[in-house]
Amino acid sequence: MRLSVRLLAASALALSLATPVLAQDAATIQRAERIRDAALRENIALDYVTQLTTRFGARPAGSKAEQDASAWAADYMRQHGFRNVRIEQFPLVGWERGVESASIVGPRPQGLVVAALGHSPGTNGVIEADVVRFDSLEALNAAPASSLTGKIAFIDAGQMVRMQDGSGYGPLSRIRGAGPAAAAGKGAVAFIMRSAGSDEHRMPHTGTTRYVEGRVPLPAFSLAAPDADQLSRLIGLGETVRISLSSTAHTYETVSQNVIGDIVGASRPNEVIVLGSHMDSWDLGTGAIDDGAGGAITLAAAKVIAESGRRPARTIRVVLYGSEEVAQPTNTGNGGGAYLRNVQAAGQLENHIVAGESDFGADRIYALRLSPGAQNSDFQRAATQVLYPIGVLASGEPELHGGVDIGPLAEAGVPVFGLAQDGTRYFDLHHTADDTLDKIDPEQLTQNVAAWAGLVWLIADSDVNFRTMRPGETPAH
Amino acid sequence: MRLSVRLLAASALALSLATPVLAQDAATIQRAERIRDAALRENIALDYVTQLTTRFGARPAGSKAEQDASAWAADYMRQHGFRNVRIEQFPLVGWERGVESASIVGPRPQGLVVAALGHSPGTNGVIEADVVRFDSLEALNAAPASSLTGKIAFIDAGQMVRMQDGSGYGPLSRIRGAGPAAAAGKGAVAFIMRSAGSDEHRMPHTGTTRYVEGRVPLPAFSLAAPDADQLSRLIGLGETVRISLSSTAHTYETVSQNVIGDIVGASRPNEVIVLGSHMDSWDLGTGAIDDGAGGAITLAAAKVIAESGRRPARTIRVVLYGSEEVAQPTNTGNGGGAYLRNVQAAGQLENHIVAGESDFGADRIYALRLSPGAQNSDFQRAATQVLYPIGVLASGEPELHGGVDIGPLAEAGVPVFGLAQDGTRYFDLHHTADDTLDKIDPEQLTQNVAAWAGLVWLIADSDVNFRTMRPGETPAH
């Protein structure tokens, strides 16, 4: 009961203070609330992600599985009322894990659970060498030149800090990116690290490491957390630890593709709102939370809007990007870049009103982040009214980049928004074999669909223009 | 404060009702309480299990790792004041996993995470066949004769029911034992099952399956829970699922050994109390909860008693049994049987007062189970007084079998006791790669040591005789 009273109060407050940034205001908001509630009652998100992950399993960038899943998803879109459904292919340097193994060979033999990092070269046979341990990238960087000649460099920077917003990931993903080059610079023959993850399972977390001059300079592996513990403890007992590594990982020339489908706008079809997520997954799991869920949420939200009885003014475009996981700063072969290039070539960049990306699992959304100009605007107030009853508040932090897939659009000037998901358990599963369908909570998945549907309706059936909004131009209450 | 009052009341009650089954009564109980508290302050359990699992990793029955760990443990016992430390070897049919893999080959290729069951024969190349799914062993048994010719039988009987006492395990371990023979009887070429486990990770649970005429009749594998889900869903979508299996698993002639050490009794050294656990582990994890913890708890408890300032009257014997995991009903090659045969050959069986076994992880003990004659006895009342303050109550259910290691002693007439551990999360980890040191909670481990130390002191420094106790002969209050 207290909740209802507070909702009514919040609603009255928002309505009383609204100024006509949204031409339709009250009617648009009411319709957004009805769409939100329709999504809570029924949506296709769980069906989509169940079929996707079950029929195709893992969908590595550039693989036949990614290609087959993309063709299937295009059909799924067509069957669910999307228009202009198309697949746009682009060339890609793919990477295949092949067969890998790691073990301690001395002082006594023990198995280790590892995963090669994305784009790691193979070992060309077996690498056997002593391990030198560091507790940070800085410590490795500070090692004397050539001090690791013939050694395996090991960074154990401790378990990832568990945070709702996932901010524990940054420090560890930097080690993953820069570690192989740093180790190579000191003469090491391979690089190993504690996984960038927050779990304590025998589940190594893969992920791409960084190219230097067009390739990853050393074979590079993540250890599962208990294996990193074990190695650190064994070294701590004063033992000289010798390790054997083998991997047949390799790159190859292939293609990937973006799958695109529209809910065509009724009155201003050329104005496009992009809802992004990615189709590819890492090879170890079945890509349920990363990022089958993102496709499920955005597809289902668009579908709820399409079936709400009235098409919105603007076009809602769902893009299932290919090849997000292997993106390199120096590698244009990913879906986000390919989409931008096609849009620019067609002269349609200016038509892109706004873009949002869902790529952080399927747990509940707790915050809305708008582009800087829309912070504290009447649009933000209207959105908060629609999203507050399902637990989403406006964040004081604006959205600037959006994510890997819509990042290229953002860099080209397209405003972005973010619906921040609870990432508390995301990095238990991220890039591991454990990223499977059972990890999705259907109730939280549905809350995501409702938030996306309500918010996207507000944008799609209005003339709000994030490009021209400036914080000073909208009333700050 | 309420707890203290209740403790005093329980203590007064126990003392007022005590009859002289324990000759020393109050003094013995007080010393048991002091020993319990000494164990809570400091003990060697965590040191032992940390060194054991870190130095040796997995210790499969009959392996060099088991042998090396046994030699190390004997030294550890000697260094910590145990006497008559000895290693008793026995012959064993060992089993090695080798290299294994499984994948769905159709309708579309997908990897599967599996583990061959203990004593499963290898596949002698690759087995590729269609899968027939059953939801119970009974359903497989009811299939028409020859109906599985050339097929792979798959039982998915659902997730193990999570129970404090682990009683969800029985129904699933029966499938593991009997499944391969049942499948072979219908013409199947291999047997696969959902793991006997309560987790939802990509962690298959291995474990031994049953011999028929001296061997396991078919290659047999456990699927991780998410992989069983995936297979069941794919079949549920109407797909004919074809699977490829390969395994180089094989048996070999080897030896295993029991490690035995005594805290020699001061006045009645020939009267022996056996504290059992096992040294071997499955090959996937490092055998921390199964059963490094058991050795840690019993060793540490005996050591606390030995250092309490007075040796007990009777001898406390710690036995680290070899080769518990591969025990077959038809196979005498396990540590429990070997120990019994040696004791019988030496005419010492009658000297064995009682035996207890710690082999259910390291989580807190909640119940004491005594042999039927000791139920409701004054001994039980004294033990409850010592154990109640650390959360252990007497169970109405007597202990009859003890466990795999002391089972042969029990069958030969030696009374047994049990200190029941909280098994709520035990089957998340049991027989998986995830059985690693980090899964042990040091605080709960210490509670285990305190309970064992207090209880064993009560037995060791008294003339209580469980063999001759009969429920009717002791006062029932």
Side-chain angles (χ1 to χ4, degrees):
Chain A
M1 284 307 289
R2 275 192 66 193
L3 181 61
S4 301
V5 170
R6 290 175 62 192
L7 283 185
L8 285 170
S11 174
L13 181 72
L15 290 176
S16 70
L17 296 176
T19 55
V21 168
L22 300 175
Q24 324 68 340
D25 281 337
T28 295
I29 291 172
Q30 280 170 25
R31 192 170 283 267
E33 290 171 335
R34 284 204 296 275
I35 285 170
R36 173 199 70 200
D37 293 343
L40 290 176
R41 280 194 303 275
E42 189 182 351
N43 68 71
I44 60 168
L46 190 61
D47 175 69
Y48 170 84
V49 71
T50 300
Q51 289 206 50
L52 174 73
T53 58
T54 303
R55 293 186 185 281
F56 303 95
R59 305 170 300 283
S63 68
K64 176 131 192 327
E66 188 198 25
Q67 187 178 338
D68 289 353
S70 296
W72 170 86
D75 284 343
Y76 191 93
M77 281 188 177
R78 288 184 197 104
Q79 285 160 21
H80 286 91
F82 286 77
R83 295 281 185 268
N84 309 325
V85 176
R86 56 211 183 270
I87 292 178
E88 295 182 353
Q89 215 173 58
F90 54 89
L92 177 75
V93 176
W95 179 80
E96 280 185 340
R97 179 174 305 282
V99 179
E100 62 197 7
S101 73
S103 60
I104 297 170
V105 294
R108 292 182 192 87
Q110 292 188 34
L112 288 173
V113 180
V114 305
L117 299 179
H119 283 289
S120 169
T123 54
N124 194 17
V126 173
I127 293 175
E128 190 182 305
D130 291 350
V131 174
V132 182
R133 182 185 181 279
F134 301 92
D135 58 13
S136 67
L137 181 59
E138 291 68 30
L140 170 55
N141 281 329
S146 304
S147 63
L148 300 181
T149 301
K151 310 284 190 185
I152 295 171
F154 168 40
I155 298 183
D156 180 355
Q159 199 77 342
M160 179 185 299
V161 179
R162 186 184 293 282
M163 305 279 248
Q164 185 182 30
D165 68 354
S167 53
Y169 182 55
L172 295 177
S173 68
R174 274 191 290 279
I175 296 173
R176 195 181 72 210
K186 308 294 182 182
V189 293
F191 172 78
I192 62 177
M193 66 177 284
R194 173 189 284 263
S195 283
S198 50
D199 65 299
E200 267 290 350
H201 294 294
R202 299 294 287 282
M203 289 283 166
H205 296 239
T206 189
T208 282
T209 180
R210 203 187 302 155
Y211 277 17
V212 178
E213 294 169 5
R215 57 183 285 277
V216 172
L218 280 185
F221 300 82
S222 272
L223 291 153
D227 298 80
D229 288 342
Q230 181 83 338
L231 203 49
S232 289
R233 266 196 311 269
L234 206 48
I235 292 167
L237 285 172
E239 303 282 4
T240 298
V241 179
R242 196 165 176 83
I243 279 188
S244 157
L245 296 168
S246 74
S247 158
T248 62
H250 59 277
T251 55
Y252 68 111
E253 301 290 323
T254 182
V255 293
S256 182
Q257 57 281 311
N258 296 329
V259 184
I260 304 168
D262 295 342
I263 305 296
V264 180
S267 56
R268 296 199 297 284
N270 288 334
E271 298 181 13
V272 175
I273 301 157
V274 169
L275 314 189
S277 66
H278 63 87
M279 170 56 81
D280 65 311
S281 76
W282 276 106
D283 56 336
L284 301 173
T286 63
I289 66 152
D290 186 13
D291 181 28
I297 291 162
T298 52
L299 265 169
K303 168 89 154 51
V304 170
I305 290 173
E307 295 187 342
S308 68
R310 192 162 70 82
R311 270 196 295 154
R314 290 163 162 169
T315 290
I316 299 170
R317 174 168 299 167
V318 171
V319 185
L320 306 169
Y321 289 92
S323 182
E324 189 261 5
E325 295 291 5
V326 295
Q328 287 285 339
T330 57
N331 178 359
T332 54
N334 59 68
Y339 180 82
L340 175 65
R341 285 192 300 279
N342 289 344
V343 161
Q344 286 174 321
Q348 292 173 348
L349 185 63
E350 291 304 310
N351 298 347
H352 281 65
I353 300 300
V354 73
E357 179 170 331
S358 177
D359 186 15
F360 201 51
D363 280 352
R364 55 180 281 281
I365 292 170
Y366 64 95
L368 166 66
R369 297 206 176 102
L370 295 175
S371 51
Q375 292 290 89
N376 296 314
S377 66
D378 279 340
F379 178 81
Q380 190 198 61
R381 302 167 59 76
T384 303
Q385 180 177 342
V386 173
L387 299 180
Y388 173 81
I390 55 172
V392 184
L393 287 173
S395 167
E397 209 178 314
E399 186 72 42
L400 299 172
H401 181 68
V404 172
D405 287 317
I406 63 169
L409 286 177
E411 283 164 33
V414 176
V416 291
F417 66 86
L419 283 163
Q421 293 167 292
D422 179 359
T424 307
R425 66 183 186 125
Y426 185 68
F427 290 106
D428 290 354
L429 309 169
H430 179 248
H431 294 190
T432 73
D434 240 357
D435 178 2
T436 49
L437 182 65
D438 51 287
K439 308 310 182 303
I440 291 180
D441 172 358
E443 197 170 329
Q444 296 192 68
L445 180 70
T446 282
Q447 187 259 12
N448 273 264
V449 178
W452 277 82
L455 177 70
V456 170
W457 173 266
L458 279 186
I459 303 171
D461 203 47
S462 76
D463 53 9
V464 63
N465 188 340
F466 296 108
R467 284 179 188 270
T468 57
M469 283 167 84
R470 297 287 176 275
E473 291 170 21
T474 57
H477 303 281
Chain B
M1 285 307 289
R2 276 192 65 195
L3 181 62
S4 301
V5 171
R6 291 175 61 193
L7 282 186
L8 286 171
S11 172
L13 182 73
L15 290 176
S16 71
L17 297 175
T19 55
V21 168
L22 300 176
Q24 324 68 339
D25 280 339
T28 295
I29 291 172
Q30 281 169 22
R31 195 171 281 267
E33 289 170 337
R34 283 204 297 274
I35 286 171
R36 173 200 70 201
D37 294 342
L40 290 176
R41 280 194 302 276
E42 189 181 352
N43 67 71
I44 59 169
L46 191 61
D47 175 69
Y48 170 85
V49 72
T50 299
Q51 289 206 50
L52 175 72
T53 59
T54 303
R55 293 186 184 281
F56 303 95
R59 304 170 299 283
S63 67
K64 176 130 189 332
E66 189 199 24
Q67 188 179 335
D68 290 351
S70 296
W72 171 86
D75 284 342
Y76 191 93
M77 280 187 177
R78 288 185 197 104
Q79 284 160 21
H80 286 90
F82 286 78
R83 295 280 185 268
N84 309 325
V85 176
R86 56 212 185 268
I87 292 178
E88 295 182 353
Q89 215 174 56
F90 54 90
L92 177 75
V93 177
W95 180 80
E96 281 185 339
R97 178 174 307 281
V99 179
E100 62 197 7
S101 73
S103 59
I104 296 171
V105 293
R108 293 183 191 87
Q110 291 188 35
L112 288 172
V113 180
V114 305
L117 298 179
H119 283 288
S120 169
T123 54
N124 195 17
V126 173
I127 293 174
E128 189 182 306
D130 291 350
V131 174
V132 181
R133 182 185 181 281
F134 301 92
D135 59 12
S136 67
L137 181 59
E138 292 68 30
L140 169 55
N141 282 329
S146 304
S147 63
L148 301 181
T149 300
K151 310 282 191 186
I152 295 171
F154 168 40
I155 298 184
D156 180 355
Q159 199 77 344
M160 179 185 300
V161 179
R162 186 183 295 280
M163 305 280 247
Q164 185 182 31
D165 68 354
S167 54
Y169 183 55
L172 295 178
S173 67
R174 274 192 289 281
I175 294 173
R176 195 181 72 210
K186 308 294 183 182
V189 292
F191 172 77
I192 63 177
M193 64 178 284
R194 172 189 285 263
S195 282
S198 49
D199 64 299
E200 267 290 351
H201 295 294
R202 299 292 287 283
M203 290 282 166
H205 296 240
T206 189
T208 281
T209 180
R210 203 186 303 155
Y211 278 16
V212 178
E213 295 168 5
R215 56 182 286 275
V216 173
L218 278 185
F221 300 82
S222 271
L223 290 154
D227 298 80
D229 288 343
Q230 181 83 337
L231 202 51
S232 289
R233 265 195 312 269
L234 206 48
I235 292 166
L237 286 171
E239 303 283 3
T240 298
V241 180
R242 195 164 177 83
I243 277 187
S244 158
L245 295 168
S246 74
S247 158
T248 62
H250 58 278
T251 55
Y252 68 112
E253 300 292 324
T254 183
V255 293
S256 182
Q257 56 282 310
N258 296 329
V259 184
I260 304 169
D262 294 343
I263 305 296
V264 179
S267 55
R268 297 199 297 283
N270 288 334
E271 299 181 13
V272 174
I273 301 157
V274 169
L275 316 189
S277 67
H278 62 88
M279 170 56 81
D280 64 311
S281 76
W282 276 105
D283 56 336
L284 301 173
T286 64
I289 66 153
D290 186 13
D291 182 26
I297 291 161
T298 52
L299 264 169
K303 168 89 156 51
V304 169
I305 290 172
E307 295 189 342
S308 69
R310 195 163 70 82
R311 269 196 294 154
R314 291 163 162 169
T315 291
I316 299 170
R317 175 168 298 167
V318 171
V319 185
L320 305 170
Y321 290 93
S323 182
E324 190 261 6
E325 295 292 5
V326 296
Q328 287 284 340
T330 57
N331 176 2
T332 54
N334 60 69
Y339 180 83
L340 174 65
R341 284 193 300 278
N342 290 345
V343 161
Q344 285 175 321
Q348 292 174 348
L349 185 62
E350 292 305 310
N351 299 348
H352 282 64
I353 301 300
V354 72
E357 179 169 330
S358 177
D359 185 15
F360 201 51
D363 281 351
R364 54 181 281 280
I365 292 170
Y366 65 94
L368 167 66
R369 298 205 176 103
L370 295 175
S371 52
Q375 293 289 89
N376 296 315
S377 66
D378 279 339
F379 177 80
Q380 190 197 62
R381 301 167 57 76
T384 303
Q385 180 178 341
V386 173
L387 299 179
Y388 173 82
I390 55 171
V392 184
L393 287 173
S395 167
E397 209 178 314
E399 187 70 44
L400 301 171
H401 181 66
V404 172
D405 287 317
I406 63 168
L409 285 176
E411 283 165 32
V414 176
V416 291
F417 66 85
L419 283 163
Q421 294 166 291
D422 179 359
T424 307
R425 65 184 187 126
Y426 185 69
F427 289 107
D428 290 354
L429 308 170
H430 179 249
H431 294 188
T432 73
D434 240 356
D435 179 2
T436 49
L437 182 64
D438 52 287
K439 308 310 182 304
I440 291 180
D441 172 358
E443 197 171 330
Q444 296 192 70
L445 180 70
T446 282
Q447 186 258 12
N448 273 263
V449 178
W452 278 82
L455 177 70
V456 170
W457 173 265
L458 280 185
I459 302 171
D461 203 48
S462 75
D463 54 8
V464 62
N465 188 341
F466 297 108
R467 282 178 189 271
T468 58
M469 283 167 84
R470 296 288 176 273
E473 291 171 21
T474 58
H477 302 281

